[in-house]
DNA sequence: TGAATTTCTGAACAGTGTTCAGTACTCTAG
DNA sequence: CTAGAGTACTGAACACTGTTCAGAAATTCA
């Protein structure tokens, strides 16, 4: 009686196809310019079919973001697994965060640059999903700072305060480079490393 | 023959009324949730009338932002006029920038947190208007840094690089506090001053 | 008063997210 | 092999969006 399983698998296939197609379109055209009808057209289903798999448009993006930010977590774990010096680990982690944002600008902007007030009339579960996206990584940042403090390579202080302050500024680098793409920035590599240098230097 | 003048004045009055009403609505409900019809309803004109005064919706926001950011310029000039020590001036200016963003979250997000790619299919003039919003203030930041360098209170360096790096991080504080309003931030006052301390400290 | 200008509107267009009655299909039980 | 249950899917519709434009209304000028 593998029928139920096959049907479930087929249902999951379509779900994945919707997510993949939506991801492609979001990257191609940006969140606002992608409509449910465009997604439906590309997968050759009626728009209403999508609603059998996702509550609404935000639900699709929330799922995509959750998946994408899982990748950030993986990248950060990889760095942790290298077993480097705490300060070097911190530096690489912050750098990985920025690179991640630049690699996934649409997702990053959606999760971190959309005022939460815009999601007021939204299913709570989607809101929490989006909200939770970054929390795992923020926890890693706190761990990283704690490790640095324990090793005595940065001065003692309120970890929560330091972490929030650090995140805000790293976020600024990431979001600024994404959203002000037209701005005549100096060499990006230099700009990022210089800023990270200041950021980490100010922890000593 | 003051007829023409009176009519021009009346026309300008309606223009201002549209801008004021739009500003109110944007603050109340956020840019995306305000429609041309809502604006038209509140001023008791037909939606199409608005198009006699503004090219499109973006044109309205662009005008609002230009006006708002004029206020930022004024605030920064006031600080400059105090004739304080260069480092103190820099500190107060950065603080004023953050406070300004928190005072006008909708405008700030619109100008700095909307990917420029979203304005691709937009009249060039509006794009330049939005783009130009922050340029004046950025120039002031560069001047402030140059003054500090001349006074020998920060170390020598590429002013453009320092200014961009500084702006990115100050932007992060501002945008982060606005867009992640639900995040359980520690005391905001402390968070801002701590971050500014790190930022300015890393210039020495 | 009549003509010319300007101001303003109503209806329409093409698009959006979303809902839902009803069709088409697949699988199960008799 | 067929009747019916159950699922997957669709087409049409709803209420909205920004925007356009022919024509109505109001105002000014001769």
């Amino acid at each position: 009686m593998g029928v139920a399983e096959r049907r479930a698998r087929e249902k999951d296939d379509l779900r994945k196809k919707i997510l993949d197609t939506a991801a492609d379109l979001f990257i191609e055209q940006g969140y606002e310019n992608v409509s449910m009808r465009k997604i439906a057209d590309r997968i050759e289903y009626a728009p209403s079919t999508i609603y059998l798999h996702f509550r609404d448009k935000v639900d699709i993006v929330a799922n995509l973001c959750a998946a994408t930010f899982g990748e950030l977590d993986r990248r950060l774990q990889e760095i942790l697994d290298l077993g480097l010096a705490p300060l070097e680990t911190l530096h690489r982690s912050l750098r990985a965060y920025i690179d991640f944002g630049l690699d996934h600008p649409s997702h990053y902007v959606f999760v971190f640059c959309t005022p939460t007030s815009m999601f007021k009339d939204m299913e709570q579960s989607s809101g929490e999903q989006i909200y939770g996206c970054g929390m795992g990584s923020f926890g890693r940042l706190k761990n990283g700072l704690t490790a640095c403090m324990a090793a005595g390579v940065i001065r003692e202080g309120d970890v929560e305060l330091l972490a929030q302050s650090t995140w805000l500024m790293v976020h600024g680098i990431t979001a600024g480079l994404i959203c002000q793409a037209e701005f005549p920035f100096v060499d990006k590599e230099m700009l990022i490393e210089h800023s990270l240098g200041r950021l980490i230097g100010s922890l000593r």
Side-chain angles (χ1 to χ4, degrees), chain A:
Chain A
M1 180 131 304
V3 173
E5 282 85 345
R6 202 207 65 216
R7 296 206 111 184
R9 208 174 54 235
E10 279 174 2
K11 183 153 186 165
D12 207 56
D13 282 352
L14 182 50
R15 192 190 144 85
K16 282 195 183 109
K17 202 170 177 182
I18 293 170
L19 282 175
D20 286 348
T21 307
D24 289 348
L25 284 170
F26 286 145
I27 288 165
E28 276 175 40
Q29 314 182 14
Y31 176 69
E32 298 293 342
N33 301 316
V34 175
S35 68
M36 299 301 259
R37 284 171 178 82
K38 279 186 192 170
I39 300 172
D41 272 5
R42 192 169 283 199
I43 61 173
E44 294 176 298
Y45 277 84
S48 40
T49 302
I50 298 175
Y51 289 86
L52 301 174
H53 298 267
F54 297 95
R55 205 185 356 263
D56 51 28
K57 195 183 172 187
V58 174
D59 192 24
I60 297 178
V61 199
N63 273 278
L64 284 176
C65 290
T68 307
F69 275 75
E71 197 201 310
L72 172 59
D73 258 15
R74 248 177 288 121
R75 286 201 204 177
L76 293 175
Q77 187 57 52
E78 271 176 36
I79 292 169
L80 219 63
D81 290 344
L82 293 175
L84 301 166
L87 219 52
E88 176 67 14
T89 302
L90 182 65
H91 186 139
R92 292 214 193 182
S93 299
L94 296 180
R95 180 61 201 251
Y97 180 95
I98 296 171
D99 288 338
F100 169 81
L102 299 179
D103 285 347
H104 307 281
S106 312
H107 296 154
Y108 190 87
V109 167
F110 186 80
V111 172
F112 288 127
C113 300
T114 313
T116 47
S117 61
M118 257 202 62
F119 301 132
K120 270 288 175 306
D121 57 346
M122 192 174 75
E123 286 295 323
Q124 210 180 350
S125 66
S126 301
E128 278 162 22
Q129 199 169 5
I130 294 168
Y131 180 72
C133 271
M135 290 310 281
S137 305
F138 183 72
R140 283 172 192 278
L141 172 55
K142 282 202 280 190
N143 290 343
L145 287 171
T146 309
C148 286
M149 246 179 240
V153 290
I154 68 172
R155 70 170 183 282
E156 297 286 317
D158 181 350
V159 174
E160 184 69 32
L161 172 65
L162 287 175
Q164 290 189 8
S165 164
T166 303
W167 173 74
L168 282 175
M169 297 196 271
V170 170
H171 163 65
I173 301 169
T174 316
L177 289 174
I178 292 174
C179 295
Q180 302 299 314
E182 314 273 297
F183 186 86
F185 285 116
V186 299
D187 177 64
K188 270 192 192 182
E189 181 58 33
M190 186 171 69
L191 184 52
I192 293 172
E193 282 305 321
H194 167 85
S195 303
L196 283 181
R198 288 176 67 183
L199 220 44
I200 291 174
S202 64
L203 286 168
R204 293 200 53 93

